[in-house]
Amino acid sequence: INAAVRELSSCPYAQDNFTAILDRIQALIDRLNLDNYANLEQWVGELDGRLEQVLTMRLSRAIHAWVAEFDRAPPAVGDDSDTADALLANSSGPSRKHHRNQAPASSSTKDVDADDEVTPQIRTLVHELRIRNQVMYLDPPLENARASWIQQLHAWLAAICQQRRPQAARYEVVANADADDLEYDNLVLEYDPGHRVTSVTTVGNRSLVSSSYKDLLSRLPSNSLFEAYRSIEARTTQAASYVAIWLQYQALWDLQSDYVLQFLGDDLTRWQAMLLEIKRARSTFDNSETAKYIGAHCIVDYEQVQAKVNAKYDNWQREILNRFGSRLGSAMRDTCQAIASARHELETHSAESSTTSEVVTFITFVQELKRKCPGWQRDVEDVFRGGQRVLEKQRFQFPTDWMYLDQVEG
């Protein structure tokens, strides 16, 4: 029994290994019970305490190993065998949707070694972004990933928590002979794992007891179980934040052009900022990849929506760009005409007029131009120059009658 307890502290972390060792211990206890050893119940209780210490240590190490595997960095982008695209390619085709939540487990899983702790195998879950009836959604939802991770954690802990405690007397005596003449050949062992009898003479007075090691979870040190659940919640939140970026593009189908025009108004600076923001926002989907790793065990596959979002985004960008170009061109022409008109009118006045009214009119007109010049200068240097540069970078097709900035400056 002592040898089995020592083996329990060092064997590879697997439910079959623990079950085999505890079954051997229980078989030895049954032999002691059948040989009528005294104080067996008390001795088994002390043995159970030793087993609790060993299994608590193994359970704590198992949780730390699971959290370390769950929180490890995703595969390197340069490694074709580990990228998200490579993993999705393995499950592509007609059977792909059947495997999106059952992708291969982590390739870093070690072989079972008597000297090493077994690394937990956590399945890589694949969630697909889809569009149906112009509505974008994630299939399956992230709640499935959270539930799957919790289920896998519970399955990992069940290797210890579902093991049965050793029992001093786990059978009922059914004798065919007289009560005073019982022999081993006349015994029928009826195993009832959920109950325990204190002796062969107290059959029928069973009481329910804790028959497994589930209560060890409440004795773990340093809130290790809390750390595991916190890692799951953090990864779920990270995935939800990334998916929310994609779901924002639902507005491409919901927005109306009239609302956009009303929102931007006549402020050309606001139009220019909108175009720059539209260009920056393309980085989410305008790339050669088709999936995104969230941690090492969750993949968001956006291949099905990437082309549709890109096309819709191009339409909106082109429409806003054309409308901005039209407004900017009109503003540049109006400003140029206003400056030319003011210059022409200024040239018709003279500071050497002979009448007082003409001098007052000239001075009033000059003061009015002084008030307008800072606004014109700001429009030319900030709005027109920046706006025309944005149009050039975004490949706007300038009309033949376009008033270029050089003409306005002249």
Side-chain angles (χ1 to χ4, degrees):
I1 289 178
N2 290 334
V5 173
R6 289 192 297 270
E7 183 181 356
L8 196 65
S9 64
S10 59
C11 68
Y13 189 91
Q15 185 168 2
D16 293 340
N17 295 336
F18 295 135
T19 301
I21 295 173
L22 292 174
D23 285 347
R24 283 182 5 227
I25 293 176
Q26 184 62 62
L28 295 172
I29 293 175
D30 291 342
R31 285 177 53 188
L32 296 177
N33 185 26
L34 294 176
D35 289 337
N36 292 325
Y37 275 77
N39 299 322
L40 183 61
E41 184 103 15
Q42 179 181 357
W43 183 83
V44 171
E46 296 175 356
L47 174 62
D48 189 35
R50 292 171 57 194
L51 294 175
E52 282 186 352
Q53 294 178 359
V54 172
L55 294 178
T56 300
M57 178 192 66
R58 296 299 305 271
L59 196 60
S60 179
R61 287 163 50 189
I63 293 178
H64 285 302
W66 196 92
V67 173
E69 170 64 19
F70 185 77
D71 288 342
R72 69 178 175 87
V77 176
D79 188 357
D80 294 336
S81 62
D82 288 334
T83 58
D85 292 340
L87 181 57
L88 293 174
N90 293 333
S91 59
S92 61
S95 61
R96 175 173 178 173
K97 72 174 184 177
H98 299 290
H99 295 87
R100 62 170 180 260
N101 245 0
Q102 299 178 359
S106 169
S107 60
S108 65
T109 303
K110 300 178 181 177
D111 294 332
V112 175
D113 190 349
D115 297 329
D116 294 332
E117 194 75 21
V118 177
T119 302
Q121 295 185 355
I122 303 178
R123 295 194 305 274
T124 300
L125 307 179
V126 180
H127 298 261
E128 294 181 275
L129 282 163
R130 297 182 175 183
I131 295 180
R132 179 179 297 175
N133 297 329
Q134 297 186 352
V135 176
M136 190 181 303
Y137 64 98
L138 187 68
D139 181 38
L142 286 177
E143 288 77 8
N144 289 30
R146 180 176 177 273
S148 176
W149 289 331
I150 293 177
Q151 182 182 11
Q152 293 180 69
L153 174 62
H154 290 178
W156 177 249
L157 302 180
I160 289 179
C161 294
Q162 289 188 350
Q163 299 297 330
R164 301 197 177 277
R165 296 175 179 270
Q167 299 181 15
R170 58 168 183 167
Y171 53 83
E172 297 177 356
V173 178
V174 180
N176 294 327
D178 295 335
D180 297 333
D181 188 19
L182 291 178
E183 297 180 359
Y184 293 158
D185 293 339
N186 295 325
L187 294 179
V188 178
L189 301 183
E190 296 183 357
Y191 178 51
D192 191 351
H195 299 80
R196 178 187 295 178
V197 293
T198 57
S199 67
V200 294
T201 59
T202 58
V203 175
N205 294 325
R206 305 181 196 148
S207 60
L208 289 173
V209 295
S210 177
S211 60
S212 66
Y213 288 102
K214 294 179 181 179
D215 56 338
L216 295 184
L217 294 173
S218 62
R219 308 178 193 179
L220 293 174
S222 304
N223 296 325
S224 55
L225 186 60
F226 172 76
E227 293 294 332
Y229 285 114
R230 187 168 66 177
S231 296
I232 293 176
E233 295 301 329
R235 186 68 70 229
T236 304
T237 302
Q238 180 185 359
S241 299
Y242 179 76
V243 172
I245 296 176
W246 275 98
L247 295 182
Q248 288 178 352
Y249 294 117
Q250 176 67 43
L252 297 175
W253 283 267
D254 297 340
L255 276 178
Q256 300 294 328
S257 58
D258 294 340
Y259 174 80
V260 177
L261 297 178
Q262 181 181 359
F263 175 78
L264 295 176
D266 296 328
D267 189 353
L268 293 179
T269 305
R270 198 170 189 178
W271 279 83
Q272 183 177 338
M274 173 66 73
L275 284 172
L276 293 175
E277 185 177 354
I278 288 175
K279 186 176 181 180
R280 285 194 300 267
R282 296 185 68 94
S283 59
T284 301
F285 57 86
D286 193 6
N287 52 63
S288 59
E289 299 178 355
T290 60
K292 168 74 172 179
Y293 258 107
I294 307 296
H297 304 287
C298 180
I299 297 176
V300 177
D301 176 18
Y302 50 83
E303 182 180 8
Q304 294 192 23
V305 302
Q306 187 176 22
K308 297 179 181 178
V309 170
N310 207 344
K312 196 71 175 178
Y313 207 86
D314 286 341
N315 292 336
W316 271 107
Q317 185 175 9
R318 190 180 305 110
E319 181 176 355
I320 294 178
L321 184 66
N322 291 335
R323 290 181 180 271
F324 173 67
S326 176
R327 289 172 180 264
L328 181 64
S330 299
M332 292 175 67
R333 283 192 299 271
D334 293 343
T335 302
C336 185
Q337 291 175 1
I339 294 175
S341 176
R343 178 181 176 179
H344 177 72
E345 186 175 352
L346 180 63
E347 291 173 348
T348 60
H349 289 81
S350 175
E352 299 177 355
S353 299
S354 58
T355 63
T356 304
S357 60
E358 292 179 354
V359 173
V360 172
T361 303
F362 173 72
I363 294 174
T364 303
F365 182 70
V366 170
Q367 293 298 326
E368 183 180 355
L369 289 183
K370 286 184 178 180
R371 290 194 300 270
K372 291 181 178 179
C373 279
W376 288 338
Q377 184 176 4
R378 183 177 60 253
D379 289 342
V380 171
E381 294 181 356
D382 297 337
V383 180
F384 298 161
R385 188 184 306 277
Q388 184 170 305
R389 188 181 301 113
V390 169
L391 294 178
E392 291 172 351
K393 288 184 177 180
Q394 300 196 16
R395 301 177 181 179
F396 175 72
Q397 298 294 330
F398 293 97
T400 55
D401 59 344
W402 180 263
M403 177 73 67
Y404 287 92
L405 182 64
D406 297 339
Q407 298 173 266
V408 179
E409 290 178 337

